[in-house]
Amino acid sequence: MKDIFDLALFQNTIRTATPLILAALGGLLTMHAGILNIGMEGMILLGAFFGVLGSYFFSSSLMGVVLAVISGILIGALFGFFVIELKSDEFIIGIAINIFAGGLTVFLLRSIFGVKGAFSSPDIVPLPDVYIPFLDKINFLDKIFNNHSILVYVSWILVALVYILLYKTPYGYWIRGVGEHEEALETAGINPKKVKYVSSILCGMFCGLAGAHLSLGYLTLFTENMSAGKGFIALAAIIFGNSNPINVYGASLLFGFFDALGIRVQSLGIPSQFTQMIPYLATVIVLFGVAQKKLVKGKAD
């Protein structure tokens, strides 16, 4: 058991939690704006693909991140157009985006790179790791928090920025207001559609960053459907964290821990088909607990 529950497990927890954190930060913005975005899975997948595309052709991880973010902006705007402007069902549009992203990335993978399943190359430039000098003086801090992809540390900063945006700025009040009482916000002279559009686009940007971390930070390759349900787990983190950035960050770390644990227990000889179920099983259990708590609270009221 010592080989499983060691410092490396917690180091991997931070890495596996990062795409969940980034996607969840975007999803909680649309959640506050009154939109449940289940299309985050597809947005992450597109971000992962275009991250590799940009890094490979421009020999720059920065360009990979830029293309990943642009793909997120475009798909976020598309999602917003259908849901906000055309008033389409958000669940159907979210599912459509997930299917579209899966099909498009498979098509582009074969058309551009001429491969099936996965693409890797030494020409893909990974995201740089960040070394923090003073952490090496304390062994466990050095092993857990040092030498991570730059997006790991960016995600921590974004948690604070999103919290400030939501609870310390007028625009954050508008985002929360449009989800709670849209008519009151409109009466105050604020256009609810614009606020929802911005929230949807920001969600796409965050999911693009999550995808870039997957394909350029956590790994240095692209595989078909490599988002592997992370968009849905991020949605579970939003629900579990009650759409509060700090709580959502904690929930993402929890799910990231179970993901990292699933990878580590493979060393015990347990088939990968079972170990890969661990993060999803944990998600189901957590959501069941949240539903039960709300049910009990509803009966009490």
Side-chain angles (χ1 to χ4, degrees), residues 1 25 59 73 99 101-102 120 124 134 153 157 253:
M1 294 297 288
L25 287 175
S59 299
I73 291 173
I99 296 173
S120 62
I124 300 174
F134 67 86
Y153 304 100
I157 297 171
L253 284 178

Side-chain angles (χ1 to χ4, degrees), residues 41-299:
E41 178 76 7
M43 294 177 179
I44 295 172
L45 185 60
L46 286 171
F49 177 81
F50 283 101
V52 163
L53 185 74
S55 177
Y56 177 78
F57 282 108
F58 293 96
S59 299
S60 167
S61 59
L62 176 60
M63 285 304 301
V65 173
V66 169
L67 285 190
V69 169
I70 290 175
S71 73
I73 291 173
L74 293 176
I75 206 71
L78 181 66
F79 177 82
F81 174 74
F82 279 102
V83 173
I84 301 164
E85 204 68 44
L86 301 184
K87 300 188 184 302
S88 303
D89 187 278
E90 57 195 18
F91 291 95
I92 295 175
I93 300 303
I95 292 172
I97 285 177
N98 293 337
I99 296 173
F100 168 75
L104 180 64
T105 51
V106 169
F107 171 75
L108 292 177
L109 186 65
R110 299 181 184 185
S111 300
I112 298 175
F113 299 113
V115 297
K116 298 179 180 179
F119 173 72
S120 62
S121 169
D123 293 327
I124 300 174
V125 181
L127 288 167
D129 291 337
V130 175
Y131 173 72
I132 305 174
F134 67 86
L135 288 181
D136 61 8
K137 298 178 181 178
I138 306 174
N139 185 48
F140 77 94
L141 290 180
D142 181 47
K143 289 187 176 180
I144 295 176
F145 296 108
N146 225 345
N147 298 309
H148 289 292
S149 156
I150 189 172
L151 283 182
V152 171
Y153 304 100
V154 168
S155 70
W156 301 347
I157 297 171
L158 289 174
V159 170
L161 292 179
V162 171
Y163 181 88
I164 293 171
L165 170 68
L166 279 175
Y167 300 108
K168 303 296 181 180
T169 68
Y171 200 85
Y173 175 80
W174 297 346
I175 292 175
R176 291 183 288 126
V178 76
E180 295 174 8
H181 207 302
E182 185 175 326
E183 293 79 8
L185 195 68
E186 196 168 8
T187 303
I190 307 301
N191 188 335
K193 284 187 177 181
K194 288 184 179 180
V195 177
K196 289 184 176 183
Y197 263 118
V198 171
S199 299
S200 182
I201 291 172
L202 285 174
C203 180
M205 290 176 61
F206 280 113
C207 289
L209 288 174
H213 172 77
L214 270 182
S215 61
L216 297 178
Y218 186 64
L219 301 170
T220 312
L221 54 83
F222 177 82
T223 63
E224 295 177 6
N225 300 314
M226 75 179 301
S227 51
K230 286 179 172 54
F232 297 107
I233 297 177
L235 183 60
I238 295 168
I239 296 171
F240 185 47
N242 199 28
S243 298
N244 180 290
I246 307 299
N247 296 339
V248 167
Y249 173 75
S252 298
L253 284 178
L254 176 64
F255 292 132
F257 170 79
F258 285 113
D259 195 358
L261 181 63
I263 296 172
R264 295 301 297 278
V265 296
Q266 291 183 25
S267 62
L268 299 178
I270 301 174
S272 61
Q273 291 88 342
F274 292 101
T275 60
Q276 289 172 0
M277 292 171 56
I278 291 178
Y280 308 107
L281 182 61
T283 304
V284 171
I285 293 173
V286 167
L287 289 180
F288 178 76
V290 172
Q292 286 293 102
K293 183 178 179 181
K294 289 185 177 180
L295 183 61
V296 172
K297 184 178 179 181
K299 289 181 179 180

